[in-house]
Amino acid sequence: MATCLSLHACVSMRSLTAPANAQIVHSGAACNVKDDNISERIYTIKEGDTLVLQCIVKGHPRPQVRWTKTAGSASDKFQETSIYNETLRIEGIQRVQGGRYYCKADNGVGVAAIKSIRVDVQYLDTPVLTVHQTISDVRGSYYQEKTVFLRCTVNSNPPARFIWKRGNILIEQSKDNGVDIYEPLYTQGETKVLKLKNLRPKDFADYTCQVSVRNVCNIEDKSATFRLTNATTPPMIRLSVNDTVVVDPGQDVLLTCEVTAGFPLPSVTWSRYPGPLPLSAQVRGPTLILRAVTPADAGFYNCTAVNNVGNPARKNVNLVVRTMSNLTFQITPDSNKDSETIQMGRDLKLSCHVDATPQDKVNYTWYKNGGPVFNSDSLILLRSDPDMAPGTSSLEIVDMKFRDLATYSCVANFPGSRVPELRVDVNISQNSVSPPVLSVPSGGQLVSVREGGNAELVCLVVDGKPRPPILWSRTEKDLLMPGGKTMVETPDGRLRLKNVSRDMMGLYRCQTAPYNGLNIKRREAQVQLNVQYAPILDPVFQDVRSRNYQMVTLRCTVLRSNPPRLIDIRWFRNGDLIRMPMPDLKETPELKFKLEPTNNGSYECRVSNSAGISTCTFNVSAQPYNAEFYFDTPNPVRILKGNNYSYNLQWTQKDPEATDRIIGYWIIVRKQSLLSKQIDLKGKEPEKGVLISHTISDLRIPLSYEIRLAPITTYSSGDYISRIIQYSERLKTINSVNQNHVCGFEDERICGFSQDRSDVFDWTRQNHLTQNPKRSPNTGPETDRSGTKEGYYMYIEASRPRVQGDKARLLSPLFNVTSVRGPKGSGRVPYCVSFYYHMKGKHIGTLNVLLRVRSIASVDSVVWTKFGNQGPDWKKAYFDISPSGPFQIVFEGIRGQSFEGDIAIDDVSITIGKCKQENTVASAGKTGKIDFSMWRDVNTQRNTKKQM
């Protein structure tokens, strides 16, 4: 392989700066793609198929692509989640994934390009057929009218069409006065009702509701059937238990939903709210079995019986699992006297509360010195104290006497339950009860800790009996505690914080709890948490480019620091300390020096305070910036002799003036071997935004190559960038038969050809390397038309499951005749269509070439045909056409009697003008000549995209 080094022959420059441009194309399993009246594309796809959208972008530098979606409106509010890729692929798309998809391309030049496409997911569910009956007296007559409504509901997109049948006979309202078919108002989904008025004997039959979306996306019709008899009745059920069932943890629970009526026999299902049935649940017919229940199994259990007659029958059971925890007490001095201590002759209230389920079933028992307490004039028992939290029991001691000084006990339990009872003892004496005193230890009002460390905030009850727990919270209302709660209880007053971060810094409030102690005004204090962290610097990293022997200034700005006082600033180059006078710690750290080839490298500014060290890193270099490939070169590929091609490689240079003058580029072309050459700019320097071109010759069709490119300066070279160049082609007509452009199907886009959706099977792109090793040995080509094993061609596979007569059609792009004039005296222009065909095998069928002319209706006419075995060689065919309007060329392969019947085509060409007579194997088939006026290829790109 050789690369040309001549500046004038190979390298050219032109100014270029291009904002992003985007276009959405599609592949995958689309049913239909059309434009609506606001010029937005609509992509129709069947639910469960694969959605593939590709965003074709242009612009320089290469734009970054992001896919986003909105539900179903033209809103430009993107979802939080998005996909950064040129291709969006969704396997097994669901109906909820329909909506408007946006492709946003941005390269920082101008305004970002945004294109949208609406994805319409098509689906058809199985219909639900239900029966509803009414019996009503008709006043003025002496009979009862029995009316039956058959309601058929389905979810679909597009809207479904309904067909009703009695048995196998279509029901038509116009021909049967006993029926009425209508669509009810205010129903979910699509619904049709068949009304049977004043039932007749023939109305007792099998009824079928058939729904259809008219085979859109090949979605088949669906149906539901119901047998109507004189015994048809809606379901009725009853439960084996009460509406509420209360059990102990560990018990087994059996819930039976008995069907008492209904024909056909109803089916019974169980569900739970909230959440699904427990994993341990067993459903045996109408019975639900819950083994060894836990509190997590509590909830509402729903039994539903359905037989599609009337409304489903439903019953609910509320399952309550007993729990009991956290028994607390309160001592409330005489609230009328604002007292905070126990005083003789005044009232005193003792309260007891337990967190339980069910709360109202808790039984409280009070004891005094071990003996039960009964209501009296001096001791008043309150089962549920209205002045306290719900479920709180209180014992009021009226006009306290010395005899009332004792140990009181509160016991909470569930009568008849195996849940253990809970007990709390309260000693009431003149020395056992006193108000608490809250204190923060000396030096504990301010707690300093380094970020990432652990901290302990301490707030102690230094006096008072009994000593209550301490509650911690943030002083600022909107701030939560580190665990996400508004308040945290600590029994010993010590709040322990782990892995402290700077957002935890602030003021914390500690206060006595109103329970497990005196119920009086809360005592409180505050503790400040100070989180120390290393300096926050800017920039964290910066790439600095400069010319050699010029001054460079590096600055490292301190944004924040706690503590704010800095203790050291040091500069390093490639890890070695730069010896310099100690900088002023109050000034912004700065380093100035002259850049030379010997002092390029990594520079670090290390700034420290007592909490730690932070670093600014600068990559300082005279190395040039990377080149930036230009991906939108029009027609970069040119066909050369000997099955070779050349590629016009284009790029721009990022900030060429930032470093030393760029004198050339290293270019590496890699396939199996590697070739490295230097592109000499001959003294012409790159300019910012100016496009540079270089032609790479002698590339082999249809191979792809990796290209690596790096700029060169007087002192150094830049980093390599890499891209893959591919041989690509498009079928297109051109203005002279001598400028023939041939489609060899070497590109996956197959020159804009597309498969006909109305045929039986498809043409296949293949070469020798991708052939099936188990293929039929006596049919089909070994190589492409040029004789290379790497070359591709299109062929039809005649093996199973193909049968005789199966057709495969391959459509060329649409050529819209609008711009070419015919010969003098004629309004039509002849075209020459040429191609190579391979028809080897004893079971070869037929190869037809059709001319499809677009008008009000498309018209196909056979313009060339071959039948049977034509030998082992590729043969050329050519013929003239003169279409009268927009046209396509259709290659139709028809399968013969058996499997040795593969047919292949290659090197298709369409040119303006009549075909030249050649001394090669030419067409022996028909030719058709039709006049036309002007033409233009406008749909090549559209059909190309359908192949992606």
Side-chain angles (χ1 to χ4, degrees):
M1 183 188 308
T3 55
C4 178
L5 303 182
S6 167
L7 173 63
H8 300 289
C10 299
V11 181
S12 63
M13 302 184 185
R14 66 181 179 89
S15 178
L16 175 71
T17 174
N21 178 271
Q23 186 176 17
I24 298 177
V25 299
H26 53 83
S27 58
C31 306
N32 184 30
V33 179
K34 64 180 181 178
D35 296 339
D36 65 10
N37 57 1
I38 60 171
S39 301
E40 181 182 40
R41 310 196 77 194
I42 303 175
Y43 182 106
T44 303
I45 188 171
K46 179 181 176 181
E47 187 174 46
D49 286 346
T50 298
L51 171 71
V52 181
L53 299 176
Q54 186 173 12
C55 192
I56 303 298
V57 296
K58 292 184 178 182
H60 188 74
R62 186 70 165 172
Q64 185 182 39
V65 175
R66 182 178 70 160
W67 283 98
T68 53
K69 174 184 176 291
T70 57
S73 67
S75 170
D76 59 356
K77 295 182 179 178
F78 295 113
Q79 293 182 339
E80 291 184 1
T81 57
S82 55
I83 298 174
Y84 287 87
N85 200 339
E86 291 187 7
T87 300
L88 174 67
R89 183 181 183 89
I90 301 177
E91 302 278 356
I93 191 169
Q94 300 300 304
R95 64 192 67 178
V96 295
Q97 293 174 299
R100 185 170 282 103
Y101 286 81
Y102 291 86
C103 161
K104 182 178 181 181
D106 191 6
N107 64 353
V109 179
V111 180
I114 299 177
K115 291 292 183 181
S116 67
I117 187 169
R118 197 162 79 236
V119 175
D120 190 17
V121 181
Q122 310 277 277
Y123 57 89
L124 177 64
D125 292 344
T126 300
V128 176
L129 181 56
T130 58
V131 178
H132 304 267
Q133 303 179 76
T134 62
I135 299 177
S136 59
D137 293 327
V138 179
R139 296 186 179 183
S141 301
Y142 297 96
Y143 67 90
Q144 283 191 324
E145 181 187 71
K146 186 173 184 179
T147 301
V148 171
F149 301 87
L150 286 87
R151 180 188 295 261
C152 186
T153 302
V154 69
N155 293 316
S156 70
N157 181 34
R161 179 179 61 184
F162 291 78
I163 297 175
W164 287 96
K165 293 181 181 179
R166 181 188 291 117
N168 294 323
I169 301 175
L170 181 68
I171 299 177
E172 298 181 76
Q173 182 173 343
S174 60
K175 297 182 180 180
D176 189 341
N177 293 329
V179 303
D180 188 13
I181 300 175
Y182 64 92
E183 180 176 346
L185 299 176
Y186 312 114
T187 56
Q188 293 184 344
E190 299 170 60
T191 304
K192 279 288 191 296
V193 173
L194 172 64
K195 180 180 179 182
L196 305 177
K197 300 179 287 187
N198 194 18
L199 281 180
R200 303 159 296 183
K202 73 173 185 177
D203 291 331
F204 296 104
D206 291 339
Y207 289 86
T208 299
C209 171
Q210 181 176 326
V211 293
S212 171
V213 288
R214 295 162 288 282
N215 204 39
V216 63
C217 290
N218 296 318
I219 299 176
E220 297 180 351
D221 296 355
K222 296 184 179 180
S223 62
T225 301
F226 186 89
R227 172 167 291 181
L228 182 66
T229 70
N230 56 9
T232 299
T233 52
M236 296 181 66
I237 56 176
R238 66 183 175 199
L239 290 172
S240 61
V241 295
N242 296 327
D243 292 344
T244 300
V245 176
V246 182
V247 296
D248 289 337
Q251 281 187 248
D252 294 342
V253 177
L254 272 69
L255 306 176
T256 300
C257 189
E258 180 185 356
V259 176
T260 59
F263 186 83
L265 183 65
S267 62
V268 176
T269 58
W270 282 94
S271 61
R272 175 182 176 227
Y273 177 83
L277 290 174
L279 295 177
S280 61
Q282 301 175 8
V283 179
R284 297 177 182 174
T287 300
L288 173 66
I289 303 174
L290 302 174
R291 301 289 187 190
V293 296
T294 66
D297 297 330
F300 288 91
Y301 288 80
N302 310 308
C303 167
T304 304
V306 177
N307 68 349
N308 288 352
V309 180
N311 295 320
R314 293 186 173 89
K315 294 286 186 179
N316 297 324
V317 176
N318 181 19
L319 177 63
V320 179
V321 180
R322 296 185 182 97
T323 61
M324 185 182 296
S325 63
N326 192 29
L327 182 62
T328 60
F329 69 91
Q330 289 179 312
I331 304 173
T332 306
D334 194 339
S335 57
N336 295 325
K337 305 297 184 179
D338 293 330
S339 177
E340 290 191 342
T341 60
I342 297 176
Q343 299 180 27
M344 295 298 167
R346 291 189 179 183
D347 296 345
L348 182 69
K349 180 191 288 187
L350 306 180
S351 301
C352 179
H353 177 85
V354 68
D355 296 331
T357 303
Q359 188 74 56
D360 59 343
K361 301 299 181 182
V362 176
N363 179 67
Y364 292 97
T365 305
W366 286 88
Y367 296 88
K368 178 181 179 181
N369 292 332
V373 175
F374 301 98
N375 273 314
S376 64
D377 293 339
S378 60
L379 297 177
I380 301 175
L381 291 174
L382 297 177
R383 171 68 183 79
S384 181
D385 191 339
D387 297 329
M388 296 293 178
T392 300
S393 175
S394 293
L395 172 63
E396 289 190 3
I397 304 174
V398 181
D399 192 16
M400 192 169 179
K401 304 289 190 299
F402 281 103
R403 67 172 183 268
D404 296 322
L405 299 177
T407 298
Y408 293 85
S409 302
C410 173
V411 177
N413 67 349
F414 288 115
S417 168
R418 292 180 296 178
V419 176
E421 66 180 20
L422 297 180
R423 179 190 184 103
V424 63
D425 298 324
V426 183
N427 183 25
I428 301 298
S429 67
Q430 291 180 320
N431 297 325
S432 64
V433 178
S434 61
V437 177
L438 194 63
S439 174
V440 176
S442 177
Q445 288 85 359
L446 176 63
V447 177
S448 294
V449 61
R450 291 190 181 184
E451 190 168 32
N454 299 331
E456 183 178 78
L457 311 187
V458 180
C459 198
L460 301 177
V461 178
V462 296
D463 195 8
K465 297 179 182 179
R467 296 189 177 185
I470 301 300
L471 303 179
W472 289 89
S473 60
R474 303 289 293 267
T475 56
E476 295 183 37
K477 294 182 180 180
D478 297 334
L479 294 181
L480 298 177
M481 294 294 289
K485 298 181 179 179
T486 57
M487 189 169 292
V488 174
E489 177 185 318
T490 59
D492 59 355
R494 299 178 183 273
L495 177 65
R496 296 171 177 88
L497 304 175
K498 296 182 179 181
N499 193 21
V500 175
S501 59
R502 68 192 66 177
D503 60 322
M504 296 163 62
M505 185 164 55
L507 201 58
Y508 287 76
R509 177 190 295 112
C510 60
Q511 55 186 345
T512 55
Y515 50 85
N516 290 350
L518 281 168
N519 181 24
I520 57 178
K521 182 179 179 181
R522 298 187 186 187
R523 274 51 172 171
E524 65 176 54
Q526 294 182 347
V527 178
Q528 176 76 38
L529 177 64
N530 179 42
V531 181
Q532 298 179 342
Y533 52 89
I536 299 176
L537 308 179
D538 181 59
V540 176
F541 175 83
Q542 184 176 1
D543 186 21
V544 178
R545 304 292 175 105
S546 175
R547 295 175 182 262
N548 278 299
Y549 306 106
Q550 287 191 350
M551 294 300 297
V552 174
T553 301
L554 307 180
R555 291 185 178 88
C556 183
T557 304
V558 180
L559 301 178
R560 291 186 302 278
S561 176
N562 188 26
R565 180 178 175 273
L566 303 181
I567 59 176
D568 193 22
I569 298 175
R570 296 189 182 188
W571 286 90
F572 295 79
R573 181 177 69 235
N574 297 329
D576 297 329
L577 176 65
I578 301 176
R579 300 195 177 277
M580 56 187 297
M582 182 65 183
D584 187 348
L585 298 179
K586 297 181 180 180
E587 300 292 334
T588 298
E590 184 176 274
L591 177 64
K592 294 183 179 181
F593 61 95
K594 180 184 289 187
L595 184 63
E596 298 178 358
T598 58
N599 61 7
N600 283 226
S602 176
Y603 286 76
E604 293 182 355
C605 176
R606 300 178 186 176
V607 182
S608 61
N609 63 3
S610 60
I613 302 174
S614 299
T615 303
C616 287
T617 301
F618 303 87
N619 182 36
V620 182
S621 172
Q623 183 183 39
Y625 284 107
N626 294 346
E628 295 175 325
F629 281 124
Y630 181 58
F631 290 86
D632 302 326
T633 305
N635 302 322
V637 175
R638 290 188 179 274
I639 310 301
L640 305 178
K641 294 180 180 180
N643 204 39
N644 290 344
Y645 71 97
S646 66
Y647 194 92
N648 182 22
L649 184 71
Q650 294 185 306
W651 69 93
T652 60
Q653 178 60 49
K654 179 181 178 181
D655 292 339
E657 298 180 355
T659 60
D660 297 312
R661 183 171 65 89
I662 296 174
I663 60 176
Y665 288 87
W666 284 112
I667 184 168
I668 297 176
V669 182
R670 184 196 302 266
K671 189 58 183 176
Q672 287 84 7
S673 60
L674 180 146
L675 176 65
S676 178
K677 293 285 186 179
Q678 181 177 342
I679 302 174
D680 190 356
L681 297 181
K682 302 294 186 182
K684 187 173 183 180
E685 296 185 33
E687 298 178 20
K688 185 175 181 179
V690 173
L691 195 64
I692 306 170
S693 297
H694 172 74
T695 301
I696 307 174
S697 303
D698 296 333
L699 306 175
R700 185 72 172 170
I701 296 175
L703 301 182
S704 300
Y705 296 85
E706 180 190 9
I707 304 298
R708 303 181 68 196
L709 188 71
I712 307 170
T713 69
T714 307
Y715 299 96
S716 62
S717 61
D719 294 330
Y720 280 94
I721 59 170
S722 176
R723 67 168 292 191
I724 302 297
I725 62 171
Q726 297 176 326
Y727 175 77
S728 61
E729 55 188 350
R730 295 175 58 194
L731 178 67
K732 58 182 180 180
T733 56
I734 50 182
N735 294 327
S736 170
V737 71
N738 297 322
Q739 296 175 315
N740 197 2
H741 183 94
V742 178
C743 176
F745 304 108
E746 306 300 342
D747 190 279
E748 292 182 357
R749 293 172 290 184
I750 58 175
C751 315
F753 277 86
S754 60
Q755 308 284 354
D756 191 343
R757 293 187 179 275
S758 64
D759 58 10
V760 179
F761 67 110
D762 289 342
W763 287 77
T764 302
R765 177 176 173 265
Q766 178 181 273
N767 66 3
H768 177 80
L769 302 177
T770 60
Q771 286 179 348
N772 186 345
K774 298 181 180 180
R775 69 185 183 89
S776 306
N778 300 318
T779 185
E782 292 290 336
T783 66
D784 73 344
R785 195 278 304 174
S786 66
T788 60
K789 292 184 177 181
E790 297 88 355
Y792 284 86
Y793 51 84
M794 300 295 291
Y795 86 107
I796 62 168
E797 173 61 65
S799 301
R800 294 179 61 185
R802 304 278 69 84
V803 298
Q804 185 175 3
D806 281 358
K807 296 180 180 180
R809 294 192 187 95
L810 188 67
L811 310 180
S812 76
L814 177 66
F815 295 93
N816 192 13
V817 182
T818 60
S819 61
V820 177
R821 297 182 180 274
K824 188 174 182 180
S826 170
R828 300 180 182 177
V829 173
Y831 283 82
C832 175
V833 179
S834 69
F835 63 96
Y836 284 82
Y837 62 91
H838 191 284
M839 301 173 68
K840 169 194 171 184
K842 61 182 180 181
H843 304 133
I844 291 292
T846 303
L847 175 62
N848 294 325
V849 182
L850 295 81
L851 174 66
R852 176 173 293 180
V853 179
R854 294 289 187 92
S855 57
I856 297 177
S858 298
V859 178
D860 293 348
S861 57
V862 177
V863 291
W864 185 94
T865 186
K866 275 291 180 186
F867 173 79
N869 186 6
Q870 301 297 317
D873 299 322
W874 284 94
K875 298 184 178 181
K876 185 175 183 179
Y878 57 90
F879 53 86
D880 296 331
I881 59 171
S882 297
S884 60
F887 70 93
Q888 289 175 285
I889 298 298
V890 183
F891 288 92
E892 180 183 65
I894 305 177
R895 201 258 199 187
Q897 295 180 353
S898 190
F899 60 89
E900 293 185 13
D902 295 353
I903 299 174
I905 61 172
D906 199 1
D907 287 359
V908 179
S909 172
I910 302 176
T911 57
I912 296 177
K914 292 186 177 182
C915 297
K916 290 184 178 181
Q917 298 301 315
E918 302 181 15
N919 296 324
T920 59
V921 181
S923 166
K926 304 177 190 177
T927 61
K929 295 185 178 181
I930 309 173
D931 291 339
F932 74 178
S933 55
M934 295 182 295
W935 68 274
R936 181 168 61 94
D937 174 8
V938 296
N939 267 14
T940 298
Q941 186 177 8
R942 177 179 301 172
N943 286 283
T944 299
K945 291 172 183 176
K946 291 181 180 179
Q947 304 305 313
M948 296 179 64

